[in-house]
C-alpha cells in the first residue's frame, strides 16, 4: 500500500478546507477509510482536469475560427471599399459602367449614382457594426481578464500557501489591463459617443472589479506597513526642545528597510498610485461637462495609509490632553516636521514614476497630518468646549469656557503659521491657491461648520468690546492725543485721541486673526461679524459725545467745541486707517469675492456717472467709511454754523445801520460795532484751530467765510444803503480787517468772500465806469473780473452809490 502523505499544519489550511475535512472525516471509522476517499478525490480531479483541457481546446478552436472568419470578413470589406472608391472616381469623371457618358445617359446615370450612394451607406453601416463587434469583443476579453485577475487575488486570502509574488503580479496585470480598457473607453467616448450603452456596461463591470481590487490593495499595503514597523513608536520622536537638525535624524522605519522589503514596498506603493491615477482618469472621463476639479482632487491614498495609523496612535494621547490642547498641536507638528523630509526624499520619485499628476509628497504628508488633526478637533475638542459654553449659558455663571475657546483659537493660528512656513519652505505659493491653504490649515474646521464660526465671532466680539470698555469710559483717553501719528498715505497730524488708537489696535488684531482663515469667504464673514460691530461701537461713542455736547450747551462754549473737535479728529483718523487698509489685496479680494457671490448690487457699492457698479472700489468697510465721512461733514458744518450764528448776533447793529455808509469814521480802522463780532470770530476760531485737525479745520473756516460773505452781501450791499465816498472807504477798511482774520489760514482770503469783494470793487469805481457798467451788461462784468454777481445784483449795488463833489 502506498504510503500516504501527512496533512500540513492546520494554520496552513484555509477555513473552507478545514470545514471540508471536518465534514468528511468526522469519525474514526470514516478516517480509517481515508485511502479510498483519497482515491475517489484523485479520480474526480482527473476527470475535472480532462474536462478543463477539453474546454480549453474548444475555446482555442473557437477563437481561431473566429479570428479566421474575422480576417476573411475584413478582407472582403477591404475589397468592397476598394471597389467603391473606384466607382466613386468613375462617377466623378462622368463615366458609367457601360462605357457611355453620364450626361448622355440622363435619368439612368442619376439612378445609378443614387443606388451607389445607398450601397455606400449600407457598407459603412456594416463596417460600423463590424468595428462595434470587434470593440465589444475586445472589451469583453479585457474585462474578463480583469475579473479573473481580481478573482485570483481574492482566492489568495483563502489559499494561505499561495505566494504573495503571484498575487502581486496578478494585481499589476489587472491594473495594466484596466489602463488598456480605460484607453479604449476614452477613445469610444471621443470617436463614437453614440455607443454610450457599451461604455456604461463596461463601466459597471469595471466598477465592480475596482470595488474589490482597491480594498485588497489597501489591505495588503497596511499589512506590509505593519510588517515594516510602521507606525513608529511615538517615543522615538524628538523631544520638545529638539531643533530642526536633530529632527532630521529621527529614525524612519521606511528608510531602514532591507532590499527585498524595499522592493516589495515600492511595488505596493506604485500599485496604489497607479490605481488612484486610473480612478482619476475614469472620473475625468465620466464627469465631462461638469465641475471636475472638485471631484477629481483626492488625497494621495498611499500617504493617507501612512498617516492613519500614526493618527490612531496619537489619539490615545490626545484623549488625555483635551484640556491642554497645546500638547496636541506640539505633537502633531513634531511628527509632521520629523518625517516630512525623509518621506519626500523616498516617496516622491515613486509618485513621479507612477505619473500621478499634480501631487507632491511633501504637501500630501503635511495635508494629511493637518486633516487628521482637524478631524480630531471637530469630533472631540470643539464639542467638548461647546458643551462647556452651553452649561455657562444655562447656569449664567461666568466660567473659563470662553477663555479656553480663545486660547484654542490662538493655538490653531500659531500652529497654522508654523505649518505654512514649512510648506512655503518647499516652494509652494499658498497665497495663490485657497484650496492648498485649506488643506494645510487647522482652521479649515470652520469651512464645514459655519455655526462654529458664528460662535467664535460672538466670543471674539464680546472679548474685544469688554477690553475696549475701560478705554472708552476713561475720560483722559479722550483728552490725550496720539503722538507722532504718520500713515503711509498721509503725514497730517490728525490730533486724534488715545481712545481711537485703542479701537484701531483692537480692530487690527481682529484683522490679523482673520488673515489666518483659509478662504476669502470665511474672512469676509468673520470681519462682518466682528470687525464691523467694533467700528460701529466706535462710531456710536463719538456720535454720543457730540450729541451730549450739543444738547448741553448748543456748542456755545469752548469746551463743547473742543469735545466735538476731538470726536471729529477721531473719526478722521479712523477713516484714514480704513482707507489705507482698503488698498491692500487682502481687502480687495473680499470685495471681488462678494461681487462674484452676490447676484444683486449690494447697498454699499459705488456707482459711476452711468449708474454702473464700480466693483474695484468696494471694500468690506465701505459703509463704515461713508458713515465717518458723513459724520465729519455734518459736525464740521455745525461748528461753522454755531460760530457764524455768534458772529451774526454780535454784528446785528453793524448790519442794520444804513446811515453809517454816508461818512467815514474818523480815528478808527474798523467800525466800532464790528469789533465785538470780529473778536468773537477770532477767539472761537483759535479754539477750533487748536483742537481740530488741519484738514477739517480748513472745511470749518471755508464754510464760515462763505457764511459771512452771504451775511455781509445780503445785509449791507443789497440792503439799499446809500454809499458815499466816505462810506466806501469805511466798508473797505472793515473788509480789510475781516480778510486779515482769515489771512492767517490762506494767502488770498478775499477769494473766499467773492460777492462782498466784488461788490466793493463796484463801489470803488468812478462815475464814468459806473455808467459803463450800467450799460455794458453781463459782458462788461465778465471782462472786468466781476464773475460772482448777476447783472441785477450789480445794478442794485451801483444804484445805491452816491457820488459827491
Amino acid at each position: 500500500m502506498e504510503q500516504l502523505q501527512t496533512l500540513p499544519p492546520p494554520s496552513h489550511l484555509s477555513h473552507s478546507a478545514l470545514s471540508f475535512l471536518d465534514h468528511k472525516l468526522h469519525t474514526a471509522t470514516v478516517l480509517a477509510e481515508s485511502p479510498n476517499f483519497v482515491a475517489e478525490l484523485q479520480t474526480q480531479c482527473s476527470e475535472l482536469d480532462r474536462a478543463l483541457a477539453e474546454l480549453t481546446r474548444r475555446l482555442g478552436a473557437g477563437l481561431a475560427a473566429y479570428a479566421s472568419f474575422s480576417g476573411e470578413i475584413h478582407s472582403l470589406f477591404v475589397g468592397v471599399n476598394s471597389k467603391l472608391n473606384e466607382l466613386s472616381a468613375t462617377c466623378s469623371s462622368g463615366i458609367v459602367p457601360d462605357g457611355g457618358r453620364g450626361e448622355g445617359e440622363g435619368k439612368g446615370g442619376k439612378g445609378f449614382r443614387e443606388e451607389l450612394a445607398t450601397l455606400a451607406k449600407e457598407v459603412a453601416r456594416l463596417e460600423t457594426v463590424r468595428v462595434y463587434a470587434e470593440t465589444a469583443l475586445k472589451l469583453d476579453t479585457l474585462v474578463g481578464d480583469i475579473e479573473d485577475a481580481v478573482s485570483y487575488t481574492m482566492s489568495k486570502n483563502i489559499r494561505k500557501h499561495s505566494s504573495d509574488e503571484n498575487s502581486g503580479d496578478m494585481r499589476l496585470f489587472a491594473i495594466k489591463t484596466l489602463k488598456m480598457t480605460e484607453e479604449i473607453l476614452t477613445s469610444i467616448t471621443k470617436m463614437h459617443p453614440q455607443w454610450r450603452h457599451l461604455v456604461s456596461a463596461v463601466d459597471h463591470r469595471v466598477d465592480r472589479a475596482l470595488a474589490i481590487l482597491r480594498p485588497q490593495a489597501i489591505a495588503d499595503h497596511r499589512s506590509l506597513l505593519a510588517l515594516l514597523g510602521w507606525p513608529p513608536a511615538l517615543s522615538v520622536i524628538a523631544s520638545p526642545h529638539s531643533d530642526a537638525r536633530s529632527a532630521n535624524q529621527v529614525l524612519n522605519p521606511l528608510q531602514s528597510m532591507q532590499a527585498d522589503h524595499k522592493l516589495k514596498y515600492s511595488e505596493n506603493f506604485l500599485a496604489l498610485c497607479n490605481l488612484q491615477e486610473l480612478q482619476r482618469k475614469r472620473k475625468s472621463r465620466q464627469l465631462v461637462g461638469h465641475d471636475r476639479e472638485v471631484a477629481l482632487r483626492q488625497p494621495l491614498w498611499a500617504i493617507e495609509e501612512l498617516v492613519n495609523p500614526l493618527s490612531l496612535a496619537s489619539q490615545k494621547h490626545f484623549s488625555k490632553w483635551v484640556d491642554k490642547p497645546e500638547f496636541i498641536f506640539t505633537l502633531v507638528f513634531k511628527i509632521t516636521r520629523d518625517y516630512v523630509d525623509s518621506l519626500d526624499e523616498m516617496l516622491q520619485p515613486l509618485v513621479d514614476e507612477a505619473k500621478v499628476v499634480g501631487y507632491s509628497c511633501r504637501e500630501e504628508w503635511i495635508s494629511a497630518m493637518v486633516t487628521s488633526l482637524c478631524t480630531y478637533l471637530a469630533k472631540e475638542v470643539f464639542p467638548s468646549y461647546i458643551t462647556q459654553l452651553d452649561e455657562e449659558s444655562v447656569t449664567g455663571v461666568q466660567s473659563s469656557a470662553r477663555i479656553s475657546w480663545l486660547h484654542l483659537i490662538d493655538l490653531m493660528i500659531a500652529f497654522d503659521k508654523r505649518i505654512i512656513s514649512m510648506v512655503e519652505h518647499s516652494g509652494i505659493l499658498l497665497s495663490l491657491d485657497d484650496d492648498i491653504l485649506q488643506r494645510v490649515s487647522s482652521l479649515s474646521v470652520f469651512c464645514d461648520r459655519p455655526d462654529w464660526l458664528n460662535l467664535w465671532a460672538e466670543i471674539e466680539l464680546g472679548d474685544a468690546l469688554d477690553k475696549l470698555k475701560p478705554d472708552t469710559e476713561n475720560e483722559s483717553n479722550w483728552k490725550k492725543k496720539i503722538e507722532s501719528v504718520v500713515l503711509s498715505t498721509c503725514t497730517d497730524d490728525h490730533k486724534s485721541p488715545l481712545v481711537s488708537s485703542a479701537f484701531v489696535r483692537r480692530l487690527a488684531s481682529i484683522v490679523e486673526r482673520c488673515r489666518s482663515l483659509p478662504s476669502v469667504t470665511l474672512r469676509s464673514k468673520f470681519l462682518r461679524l466682528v470687525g464691523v460691530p467694533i467700528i460701529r461701537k466706535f462710531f456710536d461713542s463719538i456720535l454720543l459725545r457730540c450729541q451730549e455736547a450739543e444738547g448741553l450747551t448748543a456748542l456755545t462754549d469752548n469746551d463743547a467745541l473742543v469735545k466735538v473737535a476731538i470726536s471729529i479728529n477721531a473719526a478722521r483718523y479712523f477713516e484714514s486707517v480704513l482707507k489705507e487698509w482698503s488698498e491692500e489685496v487682502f481687502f480687495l479680494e473680499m470685495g471681488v469675492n462678494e461681487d462674484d457671490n452676490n447676484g444683486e448690487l449690494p447697498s454699499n457699492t459705488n456707482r459711476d456717472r452711468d449708474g454702473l457698479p464700480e466693483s474695484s472700489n468696494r471694500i468690506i468697510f465701505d459703509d463704515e467709511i461713508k458713515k465717518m465721512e458723513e459724520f465729519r461733514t455734518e459736525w464740521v458744518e455745525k461748528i461753522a454754523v454755531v460760530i457764524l450764528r455768534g458772529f451774526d448776533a454780535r454784528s446785528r447793529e453793524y448790519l442794520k445801520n444804513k446811515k453809517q455808509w454816508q461818512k467815514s469814521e474818523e480815528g478808527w480802522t474798523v467800525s466800532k460795532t464790528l469789533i465785538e463780532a470780529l473778536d468773537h470770530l477770532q477767539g472761537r476760531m483759535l479754539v477750533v484751530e487748536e483742537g481740530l485737525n488741519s484738514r477739517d479745520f480748513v472745511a470749518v473756516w471755508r464754510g464760515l467765510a462763505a457764511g459771512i460773505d452771504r451775511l455781509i452781501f445780503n445785509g449791507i450791499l443789497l440792503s439799499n444803503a446809500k454809499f458815499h465816498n466816505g462810506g466806501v472807504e469805511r466798508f473797505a477798511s472793515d473788509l480789510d480787517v475781516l480778510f486779515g482774520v482769515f489771512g492767517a489760514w490762506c494767502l488770498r482770503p478775499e477769494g473766499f468772500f467773492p460777492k462782498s469783494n466784488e461788490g466793493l470793487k463796484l463801489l470803488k469805481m468812478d462815475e464814468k465806469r459806473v455808467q459803463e457798467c450800467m450799460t455794458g451788461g453781463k459782458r462788461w462784468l465778465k471782462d472786468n473780473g466781476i464773475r460772482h454777481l448777476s447783472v441785477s445784483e450789480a445794478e442794485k449795488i451801483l444804484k445805491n452809490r452816491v457820488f459827491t463833489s
Side-chain angles (χ1 to χ4, degrees):
M1 183 176 179
E2 183 181 356
Q3 185 178 0
L4 297 177
Q5 295 180 354
T6 60
L7 289 173
S11 60
H12 291 178
L13 295 176
S14 65
H15 178 73
S16 59
L18 289 173
S19 299
F20 175 77
L21 292 175
D22 290 341
H23 177 71
K24 293 294 183 179
L25 308 175
H26 56 281
T27 63
T29 305
V30 177
L31 184 62
E33 299 177 356
S34 58
N36 298 330
F37 180 62
V38 171
E40 183 182 350
L41 287 178
Q42 288 175 344
T43 302
Q44 293 179 1
C45 288
S46 299
E47 291 177 355
L48 289 175
D49 287 338
R50 284 195 298 270
L52 179 60
E54 177 63 18
L55 289 174
T56 303
R57 186 189 63 77
R58 290 173 59 187
L59 177 61
L63 290 175
Y66 174 79
S68 176
F69 177 74
S70 177
E72 293 176 1
I73 293 296
H74 181 69
S75 300
L76 290 174
F77 275 118
V78 170
V80 171
N81 284 334
S82 177
K83 294 294 184 181
L84 288 175
N85 290 332
E86 293 176 1
L87 288 173
S88 177
T90 303
C91 290
S92 63
S93 62
I95 301 175
V96 295
D98 60 358
R101 303 294 297 176
E103 295 177 354
E105 289 298 324
K107 185 178 294 186
K110 181 179 180 182
F112 175 76
R113 287 193 296 273
E114 290 177 351
E115 292 178 1
L116 189 62
T118 303
L119 179 61
K121 290 180 180 179
E122 183 65 17
V123 171
R125 188 183 68 81
L126 292 175
E127 175 69 11
T128 302
V129 172
R130 183 188 68 82
V131 173
Y132 181 89
E134 290 185 350
T135 304
L137 180 62
K138 187 174 183 180
L139 285 172
D140 184 64
T141 303
L142 290 173
V143 175
D145 292 342
I146 294 169
E147 291 172 341
D148 290 343
V150 171
S151 298
Y152 183 87
T153 57
M154 285 182 63
S155 65
K156 188 261 295 187
N157 296 323
I158 299 175
R159 294 179 282 111
K160 297 287 184 179
H161 59 278
S162 176
S163 63
D164 293 338
E165 289 78 6
N166 292 337
S167 178
D169 291 341
M170 290 303 295
R171 181 180 294 117
L172 293 177
F173 172 74
I175 294 173
K176 182 179 179 180
T177 310
L178 280 167
K179 287 184 176 180
M180 295 171 59
T181 305
E182 182 58 30
E183 290 174 358
I184 295 175
L185 292 178
T186 302
S187 176
I188 292 175
T189 303
K190 295 179 180 178
M191 304 298 295
H192 304 284
Q194 69 274 18
W195 295 357
R196 57 184 179 276
H197 294 297
L198 173 62
V199 174
S200 176
V202 175
D203 273 341
H204 179 67
R205 293 177 64 183
V206 170
D207 285 339
R208 287 191 302 177
L210 284 173
I212 300 172
L213 190 61
R214 179 189 172 186
Q216 286 181 353
I218 291 178
D220 290 346
H221 191 74
R222 290 174 180 174
S223 300
L224 180 58
L225 286 176
L227 179 64
L228 297 175
W230 188 272
L234 296 182
S235 58
V236 306
I237 299 176
S239 65
H241 304 289
S242 63
D243 55 14
R245 181 180 302 176
S246 62
N248 293 330
Q249 298 174 358
V250 173
L251 180 63
N252 185 343
L254 300 183
Q255 286 185 311
S256 59
M257 292 185 295
Q258 297 178 359
D260 55 340
H261 285 166
K262 186 173 184 180
L263 177 61
K264 191 173 182 180
Y265 177 78
S266 299
E267 291 175 350
N268 209 296
F269 188 93
L270 286 171
L272 272 185
C273 290
N274 286 324
L275 266 179
Q276 183 165 4
E277 180 63 12
L278 174 66
Q279 187 79 345
R280 188 194 68 81
K281 289 181 178 179
R282 285 174 55 76
K283 289 295 183 183
S284 178
R285 169 176 57 81
Q286 294 169 352
L287 295 175
V288 170
H290 300 79
D291 186 7
R292 295 188 292 175
E293 294 301 323
V294 175
L296 296 181
R297 180 58 181 162
Q298 290 185 345
L300 200 60
W301 297 345
I303 298 296
E304 279 191 320
E305 294 308 315
L306 292 174
V307 171
N308 289 339
L310 264 178
S311 177
L312 291 175
S314 301
Q315 286 180 15
K316 298 177 181 179
H317 299 276
F318 292 170
S319 59
K320 307 172 185 177
W321 299 336
V322 174
D323 295 332
K324 294 183 178 181
E326 57 269 19
F327 295 158
I328 296 177
F329 290 100
T330 300
L331 181 58
V332 172
F333 178 77
K334 289 189 63 57
I335 295 175
T336 306
R337 183 197 64 186
D338 291 348
Y339 293 100
V340 64
D341 292 330
S342 57
L343 290 177
D344 183 49
E345 179 182 350
M346 176 183 176
L347 300 182
Q348 187 62 45
L350 297 178
V351 173
D352 297 338
E353 181 181 347
K355 298 180 180 179
V356 185
V357 180
Y359 284 91
S360 161
C361 276
R362 177 179 292 271
E363 178 189 330
E364 291 301 315
W365 168 257
I366 297 173
S367 172
M369 288 298 300
V370 173
T371 301
S372 68
L373 171 63
C374 291
T375 302
Y376 185 80
L377 292 176
K379 288 184 177 181
E380 302 295 337
V381 179
F382 274 100
S384 173
Y385 282 31
I386 291 174
T387 300
Q388 297 178 24
L389 289 170
D390 292 340
E391 292 175 355
E392 177 183 309
S393 62
V394 171
T395 60
V397 179
Q398 191 73 19
S399 68
S400 60
R402 292 176 178 267
I403 298 175
S404 299
W405 180 286
L406 294 177
H407 178 58
L408 175 63
I409 297 297
D410 291 337
L411 293 173
M412 295 171 73
I413 293 174
F415 174 82
D416 286 355
K417 288 180 178 179
R418 299 176 72 187
I419 288 291
I420 288 172
S421 176
M422 185 189 304
V423 175
E424 289 178 340
H425 181 68
S426 62
I428 300 173
L429 298 178
L430 293 175
S431 59
L432 303 179
D433 194 342
D434 270 356
D435 180 59
I436 298 178
L437 187 59
Q438 288 184 25
R439 288 189 280 118
V440 298
S441 172
S442 62
L443 290 172
S444 59
V445 295
F446 295 109
C447 293
D448 298 326
R449 294 302 301 264
D451 54 327
W452 289 358
L453 183 70
N454 295 340
L455 183 57
W456 174 24
E458 178 185 345
I459 295 173
E460 196 76 51
L461 177 60
D463 179 70
L465 295 181
D466 288 343
K467 292 178 179 178
L468 286 170
K469 188 175 181 180
D471 293 325
T472 308
E473 295 177 350
N474 188 350
E475 191 63 28
S476 64
N477 287 336
W478 290 96
K479 297 179 179 179
K480 295 180 181 179
K481 299 177 182 178
I482 303 174
E483 297 180 1
S484 303
V485 175
V486 179
L487 298 176
S488 61
T489 56
C490 175
T491 58
D492 290 344
D493 181 8
H494 298 286
K495 299 181 180 180
S496 181
L498 287 178
V499 68
S500 59
S501 177
F503 272 89
V504 168
R505 285 197 305 271
R506 185 58 53 187
L507 182 61
S509 174
I510 296 300
V511 171
E512 192 62 31
R513 293 168 76 78
C514 169
R515 291 179 189 271
S516 301
L517 287 167
S519 78
V520 176
T521 303
L522 290 181
R523 295 172 210 145
S524 177
K525 182 178 180 181
F526 186 78
L527 277 187
R528 291 200 177 280
L529 292 173
V530 185
V532 171
I534 290 177
I535 300 175
R536 290 176 180 170
K537 177 64 177 178
F538 173 76
F539 178 81
D540 292 341
S541 298
I542 58 177
L543 178 61
L544 179 63
R545 291 180 65 84
C546 289
Q547 290 173 342
E548 288 177 349
E550 184 182 33
L552 292 175
T553 64
L555 305 183
T556 55
D557 66 345
N558 292 340
D559 291 340
L561 280 179
V562 170
K563 196 171 185 178
V564 172
I566 290 174
S567 297
I568 294 174
N569 294 342
R572 165 68 74 174
Y573 172 67
F574 217 101
E575 177 190 332
S576 301
V577 171
L578 294 181
K579 285 183 176 180
E580 183 184 24
W581 289 355
S582 69
E583 298 176 1
E584 296 183 24
V585 176
F586 176 76
F587 291 94
L588 294 176
E589 283 179 341
M590 295 183 191
V592 173
N593 182 67
E594 289 195 355
D595 288 339
D596 293 339
N597 293 338
N598 297 336
E600 59 186 16
L601 185 67
S603 60
N604 62 348
T605 303
N606 298 324
R607 291 176 174 268
D608 59 18
R609 64 181 62 184
D610 297 324
L612 299 176
E614 296 179 351
S615 302
S616 59
N617 292 334
R618 293 185 59 249
I619 63 165
I620 196 169
F621 298 137
D622 271 349
D623 286 342
E624 284 60 43
I625 292 175
K626 185 177 180 181
K627 284 184 178 180
M628 296 290 180
E629 292 174 344
E630 293 174 350
F631 169 83
R632 288 189 302 98
T633 301
E634 177 185 358
W635 288 94
V636 161
E637 290 179 355
K638 285 187 177 183
I639 290 177
V641 168
V642 166
I643 297 176
L644 178 63
R645 193 176 296 148
F647 180 87
D648 182 25
R650 289 165 177 77
S651 62
R652 194 66 52 85
E653 181 180 353
Y654 173 77
L655 296 174
K656 289 185 176 182
N657 187 359
K658 298 181 181 180
K659 294 183 178 181
Q660 62 183 325
W661 311 117
Q662 296 178 8
K663 58 182 178 178
S664 60
E665 193 169 12
E666 298 294 337
W668 292 86
T669 56
V670 61
S671 298
K672 289 186 288 185
T673 54
L674 185 60
I675 292 176
E676 184 181 0
L678 291 174
D679 182 64
H680 169 80
L681 172 65
Q682 192 169 27
R684 300 304 294 275
M685 287 301 291
L686 287 176
V687 172
V688 174
E689 183 181 16
E690 178 67 23
L692 194 60
N693 67 85
S694 57
R695 288 194 173 189
D696 289 312
F697 178 71
V698 170
V700 170
W701 71 255
R702 285 186 176 183
L704 185 58
I708 295 176
D709 182 46
R710 290 191 301 271
L711 196 66
I712 292 177
F713 182 75
N714 294 324
I716 296 177
L717 295 177
L718 296 185
S719 65
N720 294 321
K722 302 298 181 180
F723 280 88
H724 293 250
N725 292 340
V728 172
E729 294 177 1
R730 181 174 182 174
F731 183 64
S733 179
D734 290 344
L735 287 184
D736 284 341
V737 175
L738 177 63
F739 293 161
V741 173
F742 287 86
W745 311 306
C746 60
L747 294 177
R748 295 184 63 256
E750 61 273 12
F752 296 95
F753 297 84
K755 291 202 168 185
S756 299
N757 189 43
E758 291 181 359
L760 179 61
K761 286 183 180 180
L762 292 177
L763 293 176
K764 286 183 175 181
M765 292 190 302
D766 56 30
E767 192 170 359
K768 178 180 179 182
R769 295 194 66 195
V770 168
Q771 294 300 323
E772 292 176 357
C773 177
M774 296 292 285
T775 58
K778 187 174 183 179
R779 180 61 181 271
W780 189 93
L781 292 175
K782 186 176 180 180
D783 292 342
N784 287 270
I786 309 298
R787 300 178 182 275
H788 297 87
L789 300 181
S790 64
V791 174
S792 59
E793 289 173 339
E795 290 178 351
K796 190 171 184 180
I797 292 172
L798 293 176
K799 284 180 181 179
N800 292 320
R801 179 69 168 93
V802 178
F803 293 96
T804 56
S805 56

